Structure formats: C-alpha cells, structure tokens
Amino acid sequence: MSFRAPPFLSAPGLAALAGAVLAAFPGAPAMAQASTDTVAAIRSRGQLVCGVAGQVAGFSLPDSRGEMRGIDADSCRAVAAAIFGDAGKVRFVATTPQNRFTALQSGEIDMLVRNTTWTLSREASLGLEFATINMYDGQGFMVKRASSVTSAKDLGGASICVQPGTTTELNMTDYFRSQNLPFTPVVIETVEEVQKAFISGRCDAYTTDTSSLASFRATQGPDAGKYLLLPEIISKEPLGAVIRKGDFKFFDIVRWAHFAQLTAEELGITSQNISSFEDSNNPDVQRFMGKSGDLGKMMGLSPDWAVRLVRQVGNYGEVWNRNITPLGIQRGINNLWTKGGLQYAPPMR
C-alpha cells in the first residue's frame, strides 16, 4: 500500500511534515527535504558546485594553470556537460574527510566526488545516496624500501599513519586485530600532513586506498622509487559520486552521465571520433546520439546530452587513460565488463 499526499498538501507542507516526524523520532536517519530540486538550483545558479579532495593527483588536483584535473574532477564535468551542454560550468570546492558529508547535507555543494567509499552506514544514516562508482579500489599499505618490509604481515608493532574519520581507519584496525598484530596508529588530520609524517619517518607505514598511495608515489619525482606498495589489499573500496537522498531527477542525471561514458567506450565512441557516428544505422548508436528514443527528454536534458558530454570530457577509457594510467595503476577490475572488469552500464533505451 502506498501513501498519496492529498491535493491540499503542498511540497512545503510535506517538508514541514517530514521535519515534524524527524523531531518526534530523533533517532531516525537524516532525510533529504521533500521539496529538493537540485537541478533547478544548479540551472538557476548557472553552475554545478562539486565537492572534491583538491589535493590528490589523478583524482582532483589543480594543474599549473589552476585547472582542477583528475577522474573525480572529470566526473563533475560530465554532469555539468549533461545539464548545461558545457563541461566548464563547474565550481570545485575542496573538502576534507571531516567536512565532506556536512558540506553535502547542508547544500554547500551539489554533489561529492572525493575518493569516498560507498558503505551501508553512509547511505542509510546520513541522508545521502551513492549514484555511481567511478573507481573500484581497495586499501593498501606503503613503506619505505629501505625498511625491508615486503608484506603487511611484517608490520606487527609498526606505527601506521592514517587520516581520521575515514573507512581507512576502521579497516586498518580490523585488519591488525584479525591478524593478531599489535600496531600504533598515528592519526593526522590532513593528507598533506600524513604524507609529510610518513616521509619524515614519524610512522613506519602509510595506509589509504591503493590508488591514493600510487598517486602519492607518482608525485615524488626522482624519489618515487624509495617507496614500496605492499601486495595486500585489505578492503573493498567502491569510490564514486554522492548526492542528497530524495532528489531522483538529479540522481538519474549523475548516474547516467557515468553510464553514458561507459556506453560510449563500449560502442567505440570517443571525444575524437564522435562526429563520425552521426549517420550510423546502429540503433544503440542512434539512441546514444539523441537521434531516437527521446532519452534526453525523459531526464529533462537536450537530445544530444550524451554527445556533448563525451565530446567535452571523453568516454570512461579516455578519462582513465588521461588521469589514472600516468599513476602506474593498471585498469584491472575497472575495465569494461566485456574485458573482464566490473564497469557495466545498463542499456540506454
């Protein structure tokens, strides 16, 4: 049985009712307001506001011209391209592990793409929802080669640098407990300070997502060879875009912007050759190009939304090769499903 609001109960009235219910049940999870229309707010503002880390090479880091670069930054640009037809209409906001969810809940940012792991508790209790997975990752450990440590199982009694307020901290504790290994956590607020502490020898090892460890090593230039990424992966870390719950219009756009990039790669469509597909007789290509199916109209977008997105940002493979390949990370499980990976897009029809 479903509840249908009586015609006299307006959207603000529903929001007030929701607030009253939450006040009566303070233990209930935080929920998005019933009247939320993020897409309308984005269009009225003239830009998407996207929360990123802003300091992780390959994910989100300003280049020499101050342009934010990385796979997370490109996820934001893909959504902007879908909504506006212009991937440049994004304002990036640097967030921390401590303030990222509050910034999204409060409306300071429209979406969050910040090396953030999809977990049950985050989705069930914070009033937030994960729309995509732009990278399947896992947590690892890095040590200095001079330490002669070659396995995480050799880290008994070691001091480990880690950021607070992350799944990384919990995974680390679970791992050492399960292995019956003593350890000393060195908890440091910012990633820059964590990395400085590791380099200076304040801790014996550094733990976070393996992609972030590879990113850190890649930024060390001639000293990169001094650091060893240990072989153990101790967790599942599906990373992706997060939005506020209850706004299904925006959810659809964020999710299908990612799926459009995967679909383009499946079809062999790239930012460089997309014009050559204009006259294709392939029904899947015709729908993708906006020639049939009214897919854009269903989401309140232009018919050629996917074309603009791929032309300006690229397909998923292009985004990966531009941002992640230089870090020395193999695509592996982030390959398309047709190549043995986990990246899979439902049909665009």
Side-chain angles (χ1 to χ4, degrees), residues 100-148:
R100 56 184 164 173
F101 298 128
T102 303
L104 183 56
Q105 291 165 329
S106 68
E108 178 185 345
I109 58 178
D110 300 313
M111 61 185 287
L112 175 70
V113 198
R114 190 205 180 281
N115 308 84
T116 298
T117 302
W118 186 352
T119 70
L120 186 154
S121 61
R122 286 173 173 175
E123 195 163 79
S125 67
L126 298 180
L128 307 176
E129 192 155 28
F130 284 75
T132 66
I133 298 174
N134 69 352
M135 174 178 276
Y136 291 92
D137 205 352
Q139 184 174 332
F141 297 92
M142 180 172 284
V143 297
K144 293 177 180 175
R145 288 186 184 275
S147 70
S148 298

Side-chain angles (χ1 to χ4, degrees), residues 131-171:
T132 66
I133 298 174
N134 69 352
M135 174 178 276
Y136 291 92
D137 205 352
Q139 184 174 332
F141 297 92
M142 180 172 284
V143 297
K144 293 177 180 175
R145 288 186 184 275
S147 70
S148 298
V149 171
T150 59
S151 167
K153 294 181 180 179
D154 298 332
L155 292 174
S159 56
I160 316 291
C161 276
V162 65
Q163 279 187 278
T166 63
T167 56
T168 304
E169 188 178 16
L170 299 174
N171 293 335

Side-chain angles (χ1 to χ4, degrees), residues 169-191:
E169 188 178 16
L170 299 174
N171 293 335
M172 173 188 69
T173 301
D174 288 347
Y175 175 77
F176 281 97
R177 182 178 297 150
S178 69
Q179 298 295 317
N180 293 315
L181 295 174
F183 76 104
T184 301
V186 180
V187 182
I188 303 174
E189 195 78 9
T190 68
V191 66

Side-chain angles (χ1 to χ4, degrees), residues 9-81:
L9 189 52
S10 63
L14 284 171
L17 178 61
V21 171
L22 288 175
F25 299 96
M31 298 298 290
Q33 293 295 316
S35 58
T36 296
D37 190 342
T38 305
V39 178
I42 291 168
R43 286 188 168 130
S44 176
R45 188 191 307 123
Q47 63 179 185
L48 171 74
V49 182
C50 198
V52 294
Q55 54 191 332
V56 183
F59 289 83
S60 58
L61 182 71
D63 63 15
S64 59
R65 297 180 301 172
E67 293 288 328
M68 194 68 72
R69 300 298 179 192
I71 191 171
D72 288 348
D74 282 345
S75 291
C76 302
R77 290 189 176 97
V79 174

